[in-house]
Structures are given as C-alpha cells and as structure tokens.
C-alpha cells in the first residue's frame, strides 16, 4: 500500500504486516519482520502508509497501528496509538509526522513518531496526506480537502468543487 525512501533505502508496506526494504535502488528486496500484532488473521495488521523524516521511517495501518524504525528499516518498534481508527496515509514535513484515516482522523507527532497527539477535526474518512510549501494537505471521501498552515495543529476546509472521493494527494 505504501512506499517511502530515505537514507538510500526504500521501504514498502502492505497487508498482514508485510514490510520489505531495498538497499540497492530497488534491484532486490528483503522481507522484514515487525512486532505489531493485534487485529487481522495471520497475526498482523495491514499497513496502509509509510513515510520517512529525521532518519526515521514511520508506518501506519488498521486499528490505529503505528510502528517506526530508527535504523533504516532493519527493525521496527510499536508506538502507542492515538486512537483505534484505521490510518491510511502518513507524511513528514517541518519536523512533524502527520497521519490521516477513518472518520476524519488526523494525528501528528513532533518527536519522530515516538508519541502522537490527536488534533483531528472529525468528519469524512481521509485517505492521503502530503506536505509542500509549508502546508499539509489531506484529502478524502466526499471530495473533502483539508489544509494546515501551522504544522498540523489546526485544519481548515478547502473548496474542492467535487463530491467524488479523493484518494491521493
């Protein structure tokens, strides 16, 4: 479901807790084990997004699962979830990780993913989040577009002119 790049390493995440990484520009991939287990059959959660910042990979997924790696994806640590809503996307900017998900969930971390706060405005499910030009942008169901100009602390609605679901930004 997601792929990120940092420190010359690619990391990809997917169903049943699958994490793979490449240290040779994608020519070959190694499967990594991780510690998160709570929800789905086969003992693992589905990871839906991954991002890199400040020498840290952060992956998010179902039931609010969050894991992080500070050693280039070699091993992963569980992080206490901010809530139990499914998380679908994560990004990094201005020393802040922001994740989005079910029921309008927006959470953020300013300590490299070690802990998360919940400035969530609620509402329609959000599928994706990105950072650029000092702005976090999130998109979701019903054409919802949200914008934060203060590192994810507050969010305002932007006019999208569509009611179609928006899945990527």
């Amino acid at each position: 479901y997601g792929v990120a790049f940092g420190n010359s390493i690619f990391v990809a995440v997917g169903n049943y807790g699958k994490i793979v990484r490449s240290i040779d520009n994608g020519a070959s991939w190694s499967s990594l084990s991780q510690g998160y287990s709570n929800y789905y059959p086969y003992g693992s959660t589905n990871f839906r997004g991954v991002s890199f910042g400040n020498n840290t990979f952060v992956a998010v997924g179902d039931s609010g699962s969050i894991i992080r790696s500070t050693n280039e994806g070699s091993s992963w640590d569980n992080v206490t979830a901010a809530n139990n809503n499914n998380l679908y996307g994560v990004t990094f900017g201005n020393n802040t990780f922001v994740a989005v998900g079910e029921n309008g969930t927006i959470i953020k971390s300013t300590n490299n993913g070690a802990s998360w706060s919940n400035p969530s405005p609620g509402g329609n499910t959000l599928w994706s989040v990105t950072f650029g030009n000092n702005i976090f942008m999130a998109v979701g169901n019903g054409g919802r577009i949200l914008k934060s100009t203060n590192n994810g602390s507050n969010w305002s609605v932007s006019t999208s002119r569509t009611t179609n679901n928006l899945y990527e930004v």
Side-chain angles (χ1 to χ4, degrees), residues 125-142:
T125 291
L126 298 168
W127 294 103
S128 181
V129 61
T130 194
F131 178 83
N133 203 26
N134 286 317
I135 298 171
F136 284 97
M137 297 292 293
V139 299
N141 286 354

Side-chain angles (χ1 to χ4, degrees), residues 10-87:
F10 282 99
V11 171
V13 298
N15 280 347
Y16 304 114
K18 190 64 168 177
I19 303 170
V20 295
R21 85 176 184 149
S22 174
I23 59 174
D24 59 5
N25 291 317
S28 63
W29 294 80
S30 58
S31 183
L32 305 171
S33 62
Q34 50 72 35
Y36 202 95
S37 172
N38 76 333
Y39 189 71
Y40 274 87
Y42 312 109
S44 294
T45 192
N46 293 328
F47 290 114
R48 305 295 184 170
V50 62
S51 188
F52 179 84
N54 282 348
N55 295 309
T56 304
F57 283 99
V58 171
V60 299
D62 294 345
S63 299
S65 58
I66 303 168
I67 59 172
R68 73 183 195 129
S69 172
T70 57
N71 60 5
E72 299 179 340
S74 293
S75 64
W76 295 79
D77 298 315
N78 297 327
V79 177
T80 302
N83 60 48
N84 289 327
N85 290 333
N86 294 336
L87 299 171

Side-chain angles (χ1 to χ4, degrees), residues 90-142:
V90 61
T91 195
F92 179 84
N94 281 349
N95 293 310
T96 303
F97 281 96
V98 173
V100 298
E102 185 177 46
N103 299 319
T105 295
I106 299 175
I107 58 175
K108 74 174 198 164
S109 172
T110 57
N111 59 2
N112 294 329
S115 62
W116 294 77
S117 64
N118 198 4
S120 182
N124 293 355
T125 291
L126 298 168
W127 294 103
S128 181
V129 61
T130 194
F131 178 83
N133 203 26
N134 286 317
I135 298 171
F136 284 97
M137 297 292 293
V139 299
N141 286 354

